[in-house]
């Protein structure tokens, strides 16, 4: 199984790595950014548009797809790749994070979690075995062990959550039956170095094909996030891909790669697009601003995406103000293009041995307007 | 000017015609169906997707674009073709129909119409000269004379409206300055044969490059519509294109072509798509129906559009129920594809001299489920 999901690091530059991760649906070049397709669609785009953006991996959410349309229906249609017509790699999360953050109520016990659907209030139960069964029905290339994500600052809760997460990871390994899916473990432990270290050691001992870092970017300070990443870089096996879950602003990508992260996912570019915001390499802009009222130039002159090649800022502003769907589509194409081309440029900078310079130049010109 | 917009009829079959209409943005093959892009976008589609559908002409609405973003902004950006990145022919209506049907209040006088914007309540005035000025700013290939569309059954009102429409058409001809736009006149007259005939005769005397038939499909019976079309076929100049405004269900296309119509436009396929309905050659279906819950086959096995080539009915049902924008996009692609391929097939049937048979076969298999 591991051979099928071999990870080869091609270049290193400081702690940054440029590699190739093999999956049944093709090779992934790292560092990589995965657009999020929660409900089996990257919001507002066709798969053809995503291919044109040259997206490699996309993420879909187990919790959402289990509830609607149901993983069994997706299995009947032929799995998620066929269902959403995406023939490149897919990653599904375990459902854990969403159960805790989205379900109307949830009750955790050593065996699993019972919760109410946020859609219709119906009662459901997910155990580690059930999470794997759902993810096997979905059929993604990369699947996640069922985990519990605690609040970052509660030591007792994080300790208990960590123990459950470890026990559940072992149960996930045992429950897994498909050899064409790579099961990643998820490191938890809040902002506590000793917990994080223990988690990395324990999960490393399971010799999984990759490791995710969960429970970051959930309310802790940026300094704490970065310090946890540095700790992980020292404690995770070198030769396995590392995935920082739910993180993906341009500056976070740079700072993550600087600390040995290979894979990122985030709703940011797609969500901002639906809220009229465009990401550029020098910050964010709100396209409804009157300054774009009759602006002929595209969102970003230096961008080569479909949106920037063909449309003025004035047109996109008009679409957004007129509540036309195409506004969100064009902004989504642009925002994803910025993130995807950024990771490509990062990769090239690592290969060329000039990543540090690239990173400092980038961070200098980046004005984050929250 | 007329040479630039020459219409050549290549084949006839009964009253049906297959022709070529030359425009500055390319030749249009008739009969043709024009998707509606009210606010300078065919809702939910990129221009690239519309090109892939092989749409020829698209329609945009003068009333909407005058109010938002404003025709002057569009002119500054380089006109509608540049603004919406559509390099094929565009048609704009005169704004008349929308002023009467959409504005919050409107007051008509011999010189023009004063109305309140449905967007912000601001007061505006459109005269024939203003309608032409707006349409010259927009820069479509085909523009429309400013007209008044009465309710179909009021003889006095229709008579008064007709007189105004005729006077306004003459003023439009005089106001027009661009030679790269074809100004079509609009025949009105409700369900009254004598008014319709008078309108056709009067507008024909202006020797315009094409004629639109307005004020149909606005509440009159189907029998009355068809009888008016037959009257128009006998009274309009043979060698000019004829455009039936706002009509475009599959059966209406067939029945219109049978009566000498060349051009159609309608929001039906795009609007139905946003209301979960798919058009097929044997009727309409609602994709949210539970029968599609785990249906592997596409909406229409015989359809070769992007949607039907790649997606199961179950997936589209899921997208619609999950309120994902891609649902509307995929249904729009399919519905437009059905209409556009239908007019292509009609054209070929006319060229082959078998249109009557094609029409009766089609109408027989068509179950209209309203």
């Amino acid at each position: 199984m591991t051979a099928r999901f071999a990870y080869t690091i091609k270049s290193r530059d400081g702690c940054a790595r440029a590699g190739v991760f093999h999956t049944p649906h093709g090779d992934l070049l790292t560092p990589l950014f995965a657009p999020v397709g929660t409900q089996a669609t990257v919001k507002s785009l066709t798969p053809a548009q995503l291919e044109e953006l040259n997206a490699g991996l996309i993420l879909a959410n187990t919790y959402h797809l289990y509830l609607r349309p149901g993983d069994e229906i997706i299995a009947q249609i032929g799995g998620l790749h066929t269902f959403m017509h995406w023939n490149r790699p897919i990653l599904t999360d375990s459902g854990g994070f969403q159960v805790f953050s989205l379900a109307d109520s949830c009750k955790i016990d050593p065996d699993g979690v019972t919760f109410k659907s946020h859609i219709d209030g119906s009662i459901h139960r997910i155990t580690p075995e059930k999470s794997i069964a759902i993810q096997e029905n979905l059929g993604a290339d990369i699947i996640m062990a069922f985990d519990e994500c605690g609040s970052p600052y509660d030591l007792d809760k994080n300790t208990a959550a960590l123990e459950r997460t470890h026990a559940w990871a072992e149960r996930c390994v045992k429950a897994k039956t498909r050899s064409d899916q790579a099961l990643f473990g998820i490191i938890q432990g809040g902002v506590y170095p000793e917990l994080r270290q223990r988690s990395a050691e324990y999960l490393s001992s399971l010799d999984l094909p990759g490791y995710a870092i969960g429970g970051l970017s959930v309310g802790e300070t940026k300094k704490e996030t970065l310090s946890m990443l540095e700790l992980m870089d020292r404690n995770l096996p070198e030769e396995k891909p590392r995935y920082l879950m739910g993180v993906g602003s341009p500056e976070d990508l740079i700072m993550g790669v600087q600390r040995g992260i290979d894979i990122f996912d985030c709703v940011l570019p797609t969500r901002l697009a639906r809220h009229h915001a465009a990401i550029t390499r020098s910050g964010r802009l709100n396209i409804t601003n009157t300054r774009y009222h009759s602006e002929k130039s595209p969102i970003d002159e230096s961008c080569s995406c479909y949106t920037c090649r063909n449309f003025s800022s004035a047109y996109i502003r008009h679409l957004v103000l007129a509540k036309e769907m195409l506004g969100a589509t064009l902004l989504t194409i642009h925002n994803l293009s910025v993130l995807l081309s950024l990771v490509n440029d990062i990769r090239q900078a690592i290969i060329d041995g000039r990543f540090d310079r690239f990173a400092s130049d980038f961070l200098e010109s980046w004005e984050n307007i929250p």
Side-chain angles (χ1 to χ4, degrees), chain A residues 145-319:
Chain A
F146 194 57
D147 66 323
E148 181 182 348
C149 171
S151 61
Y153 294 116
D154 187 321
L155 179 59
D156 288 348
K157 279 195 183 162
N158 269 285
T159 308
L162 195 71
E163 278 158 13
R164 259 195 291 267
T165 295
H166 292 173
W168 289 356
E170 259 194 82
R171 284 167 58 189
C172 285
V173 171
K174 283 185 194 135
K176 185 173 178 298
T177 65
R178 286 178 64 158
S179 64
D180 58 348
Q181 297 184 296
L183 174 66
F184 281 26
I186 304 179
I187 318 287
Q188 291 289 355
V191 297
Y192 302 101
E194 60 284 9
L195 293 186
R196 288 277 173 187
Q197 199 160 343
R198 201 177 120 197
S199 190
E201 276 164 21
Y202 180 80
L203 292 172
S204 299
S205 76
L206 299 181
D207 191 27
L208 298 169
Y211 294 95
I213 303 168
L216 289 181
S217 248
V218 292
E220 79 285 2
T221 67
K222 181 77 78 182
K223 204 180 150 200
E224 288 167 329
T225 316
L226 298 180
S227 132
M228 289 301 119
L229 293 184
E230 283 154 18
L231 184 73
M232 288 302 95
D233 185 42
R234 294 191 299 272
N235 285 272
L236 283 171
E238 275 283 327
E239 71 290 356
K240 300 287 175 72
R242 297 140 173 202
Y243 162 34
L244 179 55
M245 303 183 84
V247 169
S249 75
E251 75 274 30
D252 288 342
L253 290 187
I254 298 275
M255 294 189 284
V257 170
Q258 277 179 322
R259 288 156 184 85
I261 298 297
D262 306 299
I263 301 174
F264 301 84
D265 85 275
C266 194
V267 296
L268 188 81
T270 44
R271 183 170 291 168
L272 283 179
R274 298 194 308 284
H275 291 87
H276 323 150
I279 303 172
T280 73
R281 290 220 179 164
S282 51
R284 286 183 205 167
L285 59 86
N286 188 320
I287 199 69
T288 62
N289 193 303
T290 48
R291 88 170 74 154
Y292 303 115
H293 147 281
S294 53
E295 181 56 60
K296 272 189 187 185
S297 62
I299 293 170
D300 185 346
E301 299 266 20
S302 69
C303 176
S304 63
C305 78
Y306 174 72
T307 302
C308 290
R309 285 199 317 273
N310 299 310
F311 302 94
S312 61
S313 301
Y315 181 62
I316 299 168
R317 177 175 191 268
H318 161 64
L319 292 175

Side-chain angles (χ1 to χ4, degrees), chain A residues 79-99:
Chain A
L80 205 42
H81 290 90
T82 303
F83 189 60
M84 63 187 295
H85 188 56
W86 180 252
N87 205 29
R88 299 182 184 183
I90 301 177
L91 180 156
T92 48
D93 62 5
S94 68
F97 183 77
Q98 278 73 25
V99 163

